[in-house]
Each structure stands twice: as structure tokens, then as C-alpha cells.
Amino acid sequence: NAGVMQNPRHLVRRRGQEARLRCSPVKGHSHVYWYRQLPEEGLKFMVYLQKENIIDESGMPKERFSAEFPKEGPSILRIQQVVRGDSAAYFCASSGVPITEAFFGQGTRLTVV
Amino acid sequence: SQQGEEDPQALSIQEGENATMNCSYKTSINNLQWYRQNSGRGLVHLILIRSNEREKHSGRLRVTLDTSKKSSSLLITASRAADTASYFCATDEIMDSSYKLIFGSGTRLLVRP
């Protein structure tokens, strides 16, 4: 299966810890998007990356959140000093060219206790 | 910014009936996409309709787009219990060098067997 792979699927962190979410895009895709979803809500855009570059991080909180998409390896969404309000499902999507069909991963469900 | 808004928020129908979901958006688009999300899972791309298209079919799915009214509809004919899911419309937002999909809040469809 050459789809978008996210891991872990479930992540539990205590308040104040760091959460690292990984996303391997479809092979050959250079555009990666991260979204956040609260229960019973739609997906909220966080950040758009191309290889080694952050193109648009307008949806990502300025503090505690960071994202990268290195030349080699998966894209990483990093949340430092997590708080209860960070509990959500985080989805990664990739596309071969911008804004065509986006392929989504199964998401990482972060629970902060 | 929230671009697409789906209507209704929830829909319950009997198996075999048709289901119609609507999406309204605010700004000009290049294309509009519909996605499906089963509970606890990632999003699956259903169909993409370009701004110069008025109607598109894919199996039991029919999508219409009215750019003058800034609205789209998704029709699922002869529904099945397996169609139970949340359905989201997504529009493209292109600003500077950034491309991103903006999702609505979704329609939760329940198909009763």
C-alpha cells in the first residue's frame, strides 16, 4: 500500500510533554498538508509544506507547534509542552501537485492527560 | 478561514433512498472536492469538480456546481448502509505561493438498513 502513512495511530501524553507525529506521504508526492480535527467537526488547516520548505503555516499556533518536511524522511508535526486542548485527531495529506486530489492518512489521535 | 459550509449537518435516511448534501462557499475557486470520512478514519477522496464544470458523475455519486451561487451538491443515489459516514466539501484557497484545501464542517449521513 503506497498511501499516506501516519504514526503513531494513537498517542497519549501527559501535560507538559512533547508529542511528535510522523507522516510519510505517497511516494513521489512533494506536497504535504497537516490538518487538525476535533470531534464532530471539520478539518482545520494547520500547515502546508514542500520538501524542506514551509510554504504556509497560517493555521498553526505560533507557540509550541512546529512542522518540518526534510529532504529525506517523513514530515514531522511537533507539539511541545502539550496541554489538554491539544487533544484532537491530526491528519496528514499529500498531493503530487498542489490542490488536486489529496490523499489522507488515517490520522494520529492525540490524547493529553 | 472557513470556506465551505455543508447543509444539513445531519441526515438520516432509509436504505435505498437518495441522499442530497449541499455545500456553500464564499470566495472564487478553481475546483471543489468532496471527501468521505468513516468514523475514526481518514478522509477518502470521492470526486473533484472544476470551476468550469456544472455536473459530474461517478458511480452512484452525482455532483453539481453552481459558481454563480457559490454552491455545490452531492447526491448519493440508492443509498446503502455502508454509505453511513461524514461527507465534507473542500475548496481550494490559493494565496501567494500557498495552496490549501479548506474544509466545511461536514454532513453526517446515517443510512438505516
Side-chain angles (χ1 to χ4, degrees), chain A residues 5-44:
Chain A
M5 303 300 294
Q6 288 188 250
N7 67 81
R9 290 291 308 277
H10 300 275
L11 182 62
V12 179
R13 284 287 177 266
R14 295 188 185 279
R15 279 179 295 172
Q17 290 185 321
E18 178 181 289
R20 290 171 70 89
L21 288 62
R22 294 175 186 76
C23 168
S24 296
V26 171
K27 190 175 182 180
H29 282 185
S30 59
H31 303 270
V32 166
Y33 309 83
W34 284 93
Y35 288 83
R36 169 186 159 124
Q37 185 180 36
L38 293 171
E40 306 299 319
E41 293 188 9
L43 278 72
K44 297 293 192 289

Side-chain angles (χ1 to χ4, degrees), chain A:
Chain A
N1 187 336
V4 176
M5 303 300 294
Q6 288 188 250
N7 67 81
R9 290 291 308 277
H10 300 275
L11 182 62
V12 179
R13 284 287 177 266
R14 295 188 185 279
R15 279 179 295 172
Q17 290 185 321
E18 178 181 289
R20 290 171 70 89
L21 288 62
R22 294 175 186 76
C23 168
S24 296
V26 171
K27 190 175 182 180
H29 282 185
S30 59
H31 303 270
V32 166
Y33 309 83
W34 284 93
Y35 288 83
R36 169 186 159 124
Q37 185 180 36
L38 293 171
E40 306 299 319
E41 293 188 9
L43 278 72
K44 297 293 192 289
F45 169 80
M46 297 182 73
V47 61
Y48 162 43
L49 309 104
Q50 292 183 31
K51 278 289 186 181
E52 301 184 86
N53 292 307
I54 296 174
I55 306 301
D56 184 342
E57 54 184 349
S58 60
M60 199 160 66
K62 294 286 187 288
E63 297 180 358
R64 302 190 298 107
F65 286 73
S66 62
E68 63 178 15
F69 187 17
K71 188 176 180 181
E72 302 290 338
S75 175
I76 305 288
L77 179 67
R78 183 179 176 210
I79 311 173
Q80 295 179 290
Q81 298 176 321
V82 295
V83 300
R84 286 231 172 99
D86 296 332
S87 295
Y90 293 84
F91 288 95
C92 168
S94 75
S95 66
V97 294
I99 305 301
T100 54
E101 176 183 349
F103 293 81
F104 279 81
Q106 294 298 306
T108 293
R109 277 145 193 84
L110 172 66
T111 302
V112 180
V113 297

